[in-house]
Amino acid sequence: MRKTSRRAMGRVETAGCHRGTLLGIALSGIHRRSIVVGGRERSYDFCPGQIYLRDFAEPYLANLLTPFDFLLVEIPHDETGDEAREARRLSTLPQLQAEADPVLPHLAAALLPALAEPRATATLFIDQIVLAMQTHLTRSFRGGQPAFRPRAFLSHAQEARAKELLAAHLDGDILVGEVAAACGMSRSSFMRGFRATTGTSPMQWLTGLRIDKAKALLAGSSLSLAEIGAHCGFADQSHFTRVFSARTGTSPGAWRRSA
């Protein structure tokens, strides 16, 4: 969620709980807050792009001294099966305040339009971005260099199963974890394998499938643009036109006339 306040909120206090890890990414302005840890208070100034990371298990006491504008991402630790190892890695990360990071602000910027227009945003897209954030956090803030991972491809059966599931959810209303589980893989392994095999992310592949289906309907049917958009998993005609134009360089109507 994007959380913004035009005024200082003053004292904020929350008890410890088991909700997981909270990632905050400063979006605009300069925000100052003082945080009390172990009875000692320390002030921090957040510039745009700086982050904080804290575990909900720790009680939190802070004074929010100025207005703020943050993207907040809550990542649970209560994963099961193959995802439990990834969740444990996240729970061992250090607590961070006003930390500069070269990657997370860009991922945050990719999420903001999705938060502003949720109807036109696929669950799959949001899940991919948050998973990328989680992977970046565990690789960047645990110390040392990331372990080398050989390029792993999906098997033919895994690729076929993944594409079958994605095609059955043209609107993108499916989680990476659901597709990964159907392939017998963890989310991070599946994402690496899918990109290595297809050259794209699951959402990019699905968008390509949507456009291909739309082209077939534009050329071979008398359906309206709104009807074609709905058939291809787009939220409405405006969403269809925007994505189609970005992918093809022309609007659906112009493409139909030239087909």
Side-chain angles (χ1 to χ4, degrees), residues 56-57 127 132 160 162 181 189 195 227 234:
F56 278 113
D127 199 33
S189 295
R195 184 174 289 279
E227 289 172 322
F234 296 99

Side-chain angles (χ1 to χ4, degrees), residues 179-190:
V179 186
C183 296
M185 306 174 72
S186 70
R187 290 177 300 178
S188 56
S189 295
F190 168 73

Side-chain angles (χ1 to χ4, degrees), residues 93 101-103 134-144 146:
L93 294 178
D101 184 86
V103 173
Q134 179 176 333
T135 301
H136 176 72
L137 284 168
T138 56
R139 290 183 180 180
S140 299
F141 294 103
R142 294 181 70 219

Side-chain angles (χ1 to χ4, degrees), residues 85-99:
R85 182 173 58 181
E86 294 177 15
R88 284 195 297 271
R89 288 197 189 107
L90 198 62
S91 67
T92 62
L93 294 178
Q95 307 297 292
L96 304 173
Q97 297 294 342
E99 186 83 21

